[in-house]
Amino acid sequence: MADPKRHQPRMSPERARRLRRWHLEADRELRNGLPRRMLYLGLDLRIPEGVFSPSGGGPFYPLIRAEARPSDRVLDMGTGCGIGAILAAAQSRDVVGVDVNPIAVEAAAANASRNGVGDRITFRQSDVFDAVDGRFDLILFDPPYRWYKARDLLELSTADENYGVLTRFLGHLRDHLAPGGRAMLQFATSGDIDYLYALIDAAGLQKEVVASEDLGSEDLTVTYFVFRLTP
């Protein structure tokens, strides 16, 4: 009998197997590239071992400066090296960045100071919304796309066992949005995007595709979408 708590991907078994192979290769490349210094979108980022390094792929991060408003209170969920929070702080003076990985929280705070916005951002360790207070005008999230069990803190940035994190985030998102607030969420077809759509519908949220980008290799093409979510 199938385990009812085990995620059953809404795709063909062959695509699920290809995504598993792709994930393992991407994980090896990520680990082999750390630590690193990254110059991206005008930012100087230092990324230690154990912290996710954004590849520069996908349309999410280039949109943040234009989306954030000076009056916004902003939450960067799963901040990693702090890139989303730092980009938002170019506009907003009230930014909170959270991550379950304590190494990431420390690295993000150092990167914010290095890029001149340390006084605009509060970083803290949090498992989704557990240590988050209040409501926000803008919530940013570039979640892990795959449904596998992570082997360590680094892999938590790309693997979300049975989509527990994604399910909790969308289930509680409305509780943390201020009136008129919105969320910007990136997701790719290297994950179970049909399951994401089901979660959005179940949460009673409206979704708008604000950007998309196709990336790929010889045997796998992936489309990245950025959604604006509103109650």
Side-chain angles (χ1 to χ4, degrees), residues 210-230:
V210 295
S212 64
E213 182 177 348
D214 292 331
L215 299 170
S217 59
E218 293 181 358
D219 64 342
L220 183 65
T221 297
V222 172
T223 303
Y224 289 79
F225 294 96
V226 178
F227 302 97
R228 185 182 290 117
L229 304 178
T230 53

PDB file of all heavy atoms in Angstrom, residues 210-230:
ATOM      1  N   VAL A 210       4.225  36.620 -13.835  1.00  0.00           N
ATOM      2  CA  VAL A 210       4.820  37.909 -14.172  1.00  0.00           C
ATOM      3  C   VAL A 210       6.085  37.758 -15.010  1.00  0.00           C
ATOM      4  O   VAL A 210       6.551  38.729 -15.600  1.00  0.00           O
ATOM      5  CB  VAL A 210       5.102  38.745 -12.907  1.00  0.00           C
ATOM      6  CG1 VAL A 210       3.796  39.094 -12.215  1.00  0.00           C
ATOM      7  CG2 VAL A 210       6.023  38.024 -11.953  1.00  0.00           C
ATOM      8  N   ALA A 211       6.648  36.545 -15.062  1.00  0.00           N
ATOM      9  CA  ALA A 211       7.834  36.313 -15.877  1.00  0.00           C
ATOM     10  C   ALA A 211       8.036  34.816 -16.031  1.00  0.00           C
ATOM     11  O   ALA A 211       7.598  34.020 -15.185  1.00  0.00           O
ATOM     12  CB  ALA A 211       9.077  36.946 -15.254  1.00  0.00           C
ATOM     13  N   SER A 212       8.703  34.426 -17.103  1.00  0.00           N
ATOM     14  CA  SER A 212       9.078  33.024 -17.298  1.00  0.00           C
ATOM     15  C   SER A 212      10.345  32.975 -18.136  1.00  0.00           C
ATOM     16  O   SER A 212      10.665  33.922 -18.870  1.00  0.00           O
ATOM     17  CB  SER A 212       7.961  32.228 -17.970  1.00  0.00           C
ATOM     18  OG  SER A 212       7.714  32.705 -19.276  1.00  0.00           O
ATOM     19  N   GLU A 213      11.057  31.880 -17.991  1.00  0.00           N
ATOM     20  CA  GLU A 213      12.314  31.713 -18.731  1.00  0.00           C
ATOM     21  C   GLU A 213      12.592  30.226 -18.915  1.00  0.00           C
ATOM     22  O   GLU A 213      12.439  29.441 -17.966  1.00  0.00           O
ATOM     23  CB  GLU A 213      13.465  32.367 -17.972  1.00  0.00           C
ATOM     24  CG  GLU A 213      14.808  32.304 -18.681  1.00  0.00           C
ATOM     25  CD  GLU A 213      15.904  33.035 -17.928  1.00  0.00           C
ATOM     26  OE1 GLU A 213      15.591  33.785 -16.985  1.00  0.00           O
ATOM     27  OE2 GLU A 213      17.087  32.839 -18.286  1.00  0.00           O
ATOM     28  N   ASP A 214      12.989  29.836 -20.126  1.00  0.00           N
ATOM     29  CA  ASP A 214      13.348  28.453 -20.420  1.00  0.00           C
ATOM     30  C   ASP A 214      14.856  28.281 -20.314  1.00  0.00           C
ATOM     31  O   ASP A 214      15.622  29.050 -20.902  1.00  0.00           O
ATOM     32  CB  ASP A 214      12.904  28.049 -21.828  1.00  0.00           C
ATOM     33  CG  ASP A 214      11.391  27.982 -21.971  1.00  0.00           C
ATOM     34  OD1 ASP A 214      10.717  27.703 -20.958  1.00  0.00           O
ATOM     35  OD2 ASP A 214      10.894  28.214 -23.083  1.00  0.00           O
ATOM     36  N   LEU A 215      15.277  27.281 -19.563  1.00  0.00           N
ATOM     37  CA  LEU A 215      16.676  26.916 -19.446  1.00  0.00           C
ATOM     38  C   LEU A 215      16.769  25.409 -19.620  1.00  0.00           C
ATOM     39  O   LEU A 215      15.805  24.690 -19.351  1.00  0.00           O
ATOM     40  CB  LEU A 215      17.246  27.319 -18.076  1.00  0.00           C
ATOM     41  CG  LEU A 215      17.232  28.810 -17.743  1.00  0.00           C
ATOM     42  CD1 LEU A 215      17.601  29.032 -16.285  1.00  0.00           C
ATOM     43  CD2 LEU A 215      18.193  29.563 -18.647  1.00  0.00           C
ATOM     44  N   GLY A 216      17.929  24.927 -20.051  1.00  0.00           N
ATOM     45  CA  GLY A 216      18.002  23.485 -20.209  1.00  0.00           C
ATOM     46  C   GLY A 216      19.343  22.995 -20.670  1.00  0.00           C
ATOM     47  O   GLY A 216      20.286  23.763 -20.900  1.00  0.00           O
ATOM     48  N   SER A 217      19.405  21.692 -20.783  1.00  0.00           N
ATOM     49  CA  SER A 217      20.590  20.994 -21.265  1.00  0.00           C
ATOM     50  C   SER A 217      20.177  20.146 -22.458  1.00  0.00           C
ATOM     51  O   SER A 217      19.081  20.314 -23.002  1.00  0.00           O
ATOM     52  CB  SER A 217      21.164  20.113 -20.141  1.00  0.00           C
ATOM     53  OG  SER A 217      20.194  19.177 -19.714  1.00  0.00           O
ATOM     54  N   GLU A 218      21.041  19.225 -22.849  1.00  0.00           N
ATOM     55  CA  GLU A 218      20.752  18.411 -24.021  1.00  0.00           C
ATOM     56  C   GLU A 218      19.529  17.518 -23.829  1.00  0.00           C
ATOM     57  O   GLU A 218      18.803  17.241 -24.777  1.00  0.00           O
ATOM     58  CB  GLU A 218      21.971  17.549 -24.372  1.00  0.00           C
ATOM     59  CG  GLU A 218      23.174  18.353 -24.856  1.00  0.00           C
ATOM     60  CD  GLU A 218      24.331  17.465 -25.222  1.00  0.00           C
ATOM     61  OE1 GLU A 218      24.216  16.227 -25.060  1.00  0.00           O
ATOM     62  OE2 GLU A 218      25.370  17.991 -25.672  1.00  0.00           O
ATOM     63  N   ASP A 219      19.290  17.054 -22.601  1.00  0.00           N
ATOM     64  CA  ASP A 219      18.221  16.078 -22.395  1.00  0.00           C
ATOM     65  C   ASP A 219      17.089  16.575 -21.514  1.00  0.00           C
ATOM     66  O   ASP A 219      16.144  15.832 -21.240  1.00  0.00           O
ATOM     67  CB  ASP A 219      18.788  14.789 -21.799  1.00  0.00           C
ATOM     68  CG  ASP A 219      19.388  15.002 -20.413  1.00  0.00           C
ATOM     69  OD1 ASP A 219      19.671  16.163 -20.073  1.00  0.00           O
ATOM     70  OD2 ASP A 219      19.561  14.008 -19.691  1.00  0.00           O
ATOM     71  N   LEU A 220      17.136  17.846 -21.051  1.00  0.00           N
ATOM     72  CA  LEU A 220      16.081  18.314 -20.163  1.00  0.00           C
ATOM     73  C   LEU A 220      15.930  19.826 -20.282  1.00  0.00           C
ATOM     74  O   LEU A 220      16.889  20.570 -20.062  1.00  0.00           O
ATOM     75  CB  LEU A 220      16.394  17.944 -18.707  1.00  0.00           C
ATOM     76  CG  LEU A 220      15.333  18.319 -17.674  1.00  0.00           C
ATOM     77  CD1 LEU A 220      14.060  17.531 -17.915  1.00  0.00           C
ATOM     78  CD2 LEU A 220      15.851  18.056 -16.267  1.00  0.00           C
ATOM     79  N   THR A 221      14.739  20.276 -20.635  1.00  0.00           N
ATOM     80  CA  THR A 221      14.420  21.694 -20.666  1.00  0.00           C
ATOM     81  C   THR A 221      13.518  22.022 -19.481  1.00  0.00           C
ATOM     82  O   THR A 221      12.566  21.297 -19.210  1.00  0.00           O
ATOM     83  CB  THR A 221      13.716  22.084 -21.976  1.00  0.00           C
ATOM     84  OG1 THR A 221      14.607  21.837 -23.069  1.00  0.00           O
ATOM     85  CG2 THR A 221      13.331  23.556 -21.969  1.00  0.00           C
ATOM     86  N   VAL A 222      13.846  23.093 -18.780  1.00  0.00           N
ATOM     87  CA  VAL A 222      13.108  23.498 -17.591  1.00  0.00           C
ATOM     88  C   VAL A 222      12.606  24.918 -17.800  1.00  0.00           C
ATOM     89  O   VAL A 222      13.345  25.781 -18.279  1.00  0.00           O
ATOM     90  CB  VAL A 222      14.016  23.423 -16.337  1.00  0.00           C
ATOM     91  CG1 VAL A 222      13.311  24.037 -15.136  1.00  0.00           C
ATOM     92  CG2 VAL A 222      14.413  21.989 -16.047  1.00  0.00           C
ATOM     93  N   THR A 223      11.364  25.159 -17.441  1.00  0.00           N
ATOM     94  CA  THR A 223      10.797  26.500 -17.484  1.00  0.00           C
ATOM     95  C   THR A 223      10.655  27.030 -16.068  1.00  0.00           C
ATOM     96  O   THR A 223      10.084  26.368 -15.198  1.00  0.00           O
ATOM     97  CB  THR A 223       9.424  26.516 -18.184  1.00  0.00           C
ATOM     98  OG1 THR A 223       9.558  25.989 -19.489  1.00  0.00           O
ATOM     99  CG2 THR A 223       8.883  27.941 -18.260  1.00  0.00           C
ATOM    100  N   TYR A 224      11.206  28.220 -15.830  1.00  0.00           N
ATOM    101  CA  TYR A 224      11.080  28.906 -14.549  1.00  0.00           C
ATOM    102  C   TYR A 224       9.957  29.934 -14.664  1.00  0.00           C
ATOM    103  O   TYR A 224       9.918  30.707 -15.622  1.00  0.00           O
ATOM    104  CB  TYR A 224      12.382  29.620 -14.191  1.00  0.00           C
ATOM    105  CG  TYR A 224      13.498  28.695 -13.806  1.00  0.00           C
ATOM    106  CD1 TYR A 224      14.237  28.013 -14.758  1.00  0.00           C
ATOM    107  CD2 TYR A 224      13.838  28.497 -12.452  1.00  0.00           C
ATOM    108  CE1 TYR A 224      15.262  27.161 -14.413  1.00  0.00           C
ATOM    109  CE2 TYR A 224      14.855  27.647 -12.086  1.00  0.00           C
ATOM    110  CZ  TYR A 224      15.573  26.977 -13.072  1.00  0.00           C
ATOM    111  OH  TYR A 224      16.585  26.130 -12.713  1.00  0.00           O
ATOM    112  N   PHE A 225       9.077  29.942 -13.681  1.00  0.00           N
ATOM    113  CA  PHE A 225       7.977  30.909 -13.625  1.00  0.00           C
ATOM    114  C   PHE A 225       8.110  31.739 -12.359  1.00  0.00           C
ATOM    115  O   PHE A 225       8.464  31.219 -11.302  1.00  0.00           O
ATOM    116  CB  PHE A 225       6.617  30.202 -13.593  1.00  0.00           C
ATOM    117  CG  PHE A 225       6.275  29.442 -14.826  1.00  0.00           C
ATOM    118  CD1 PHE A 225       6.519  28.078 -14.918  1.00  0.00           C
ATOM    119  CD2 PHE A 225       5.684  30.084 -15.908  1.00  0.00           C
ATOM    120  CE1 PHE A 225       6.187  27.368 -16.052  1.00  0.00           C
ATOM    121  CE2 PHE A 225       5.351  29.386 -17.061  1.00  0.00           C
ATOM    122  CZ  PHE A 225       5.601  28.015 -17.141  1.00  0.00           C
ATOM    123  N   VAL A 226       7.788  33.014 -12.469  1.00  0.00           N
ATOM    124  CA  VAL A 226       7.625  33.862 -11.288  1.00  0.00           C
ATOM    125  C   VAL A 226       6.155  34.213 -11.192  1.00  0.00           C
ATOM    126  O   VAL A 226       5.576  34.763 -12.150  1.00  0.00           O
ATOM    127  CB  VAL A 226       8.487  35.130 -11.358  1.00  0.00           C
ATOM    128  CG1 VAL A 226       8.241  35.994 -10.113  1.00  0.00           C
ATOM    129  CG2 VAL A 226       9.962  34.777 -11.458  1.00  0.00           C
ATOM    130  N   PHE A 227       5.556  33.886 -10.043  1.00  0.00           N
ATOM    131  CA  PHE A 227       4.146  34.151  -9.810  1.00  0.00           C
ATOM    132  C   PHE A 227       3.984  35.282  -8.792  1.00  0.00           C
ATOM    133  O   PHE A 227       4.724  35.352  -7.814  1.00  0.00           O
ATOM    134  CB  PHE A 227       3.446  32.906  -9.246  1.00  0.00           C
ATOM    135  CG  PHE A 227       3.547  31.688 -10.106  1.00  0.00           C
ATOM    136  CD1 PHE A 227       4.520  30.714  -9.877  1.00  0.00           C
ATOM    137  CD2 PHE A 227       2.657  31.500 -11.161  1.00  0.00           C
ATOM    138  CE1 PHE A 227       4.609  29.583 -10.676  1.00  0.00           C
ATOM    139  CE2 PHE A 227       2.741  30.366 -11.970  1.00  0.00           C
ATOM    140  CZ  PHE A 227       3.726  29.411 -11.722  1.00  0.00           C
ATOM    141  N   ARG A 228       3.019  36.138  -9.028  1.00  0.00           N
ATOM    142  CA  ARG A 228       2.559  37.071  -8.024  1.00  0.00           C
ATOM    143  C   ARG A 228       1.287  36.499  -7.410  1.00  0.00           C
ATOM    144  O   ARG A 228       0.309  36.242  -8.136  1.00  0.00           O
ATOM    145  CB  ARG A 228       2.316  38.464  -8.602  1.00  0.00           C
ATOM    146  CG  ARG A 228       1.938  39.490  -7.526  1.00  0.00           C
ATOM    147  CD  ARG A 228       1.645  40.857  -8.138  1.00  0.00           C
ATOM    148  NE  ARG A 228       2.853  41.504  -8.648  1.00  0.00           N
ATOM    149  CZ  ARG A 228       3.057  41.800  -9.920  1.00  0.00           C
ATOM    150  NH1 ARG A 228       2.153  41.497 -10.832  1.00  0.00           N
ATOM    151  NH2 ARG A 228       4.176  42.390 -10.296  1.00  0.00           N
ATOM    152  N   LEU A 229       1.310  36.253  -6.110  1.00  0.00           N
ATOM    153  CA  LEU A 229       0.195  35.638  -5.423  1.00  0.00           C
ATOM    154  C   LEU A 229      -0.492  36.678  -4.541  1.00  0.00           C
ATOM    155  O   LEU A 229       0.163  37.425  -3.817  1.00  0.00           O
ATOM    156  CB  LEU A 229       0.665  34.476  -4.543  1.00  0.00           C
ATOM    157  CG  LEU A 229       1.458  33.371  -5.243  1.00  0.00           C
ATOM    158  CD1 LEU A 229       1.893  32.321  -4.213  1.00  0.00           C
ATOM    159  CD2 LEU A 229       0.639  32.731  -6.366  1.00  0.00           C
ATOM    160  N   THR A 230      -1.825  36.709  -4.601  1.00  0.00           N
ATOM    161  CA  THR A 230      -2.604  37.637  -3.792  1.00  0.00           C
ATOM    162  C   THR A 230      -3.820  36.905  -3.227  1.00  0.00           C
ATOM    163  O   THR A 230      -4.309  35.938  -3.838  1.00  0.00           O
ATOM    164  CB  THR A 230      -3.084  38.845  -4.614  1.00  0.00           C
ATOM    165  OG1 THR A 230      -3.767  38.376  -5.788  1.00  0.00           O
ATOM    166  CG2 THR A 230      -1.912  39.721  -5.028  1.00  0.00           C
TER     167      THR A 230
END
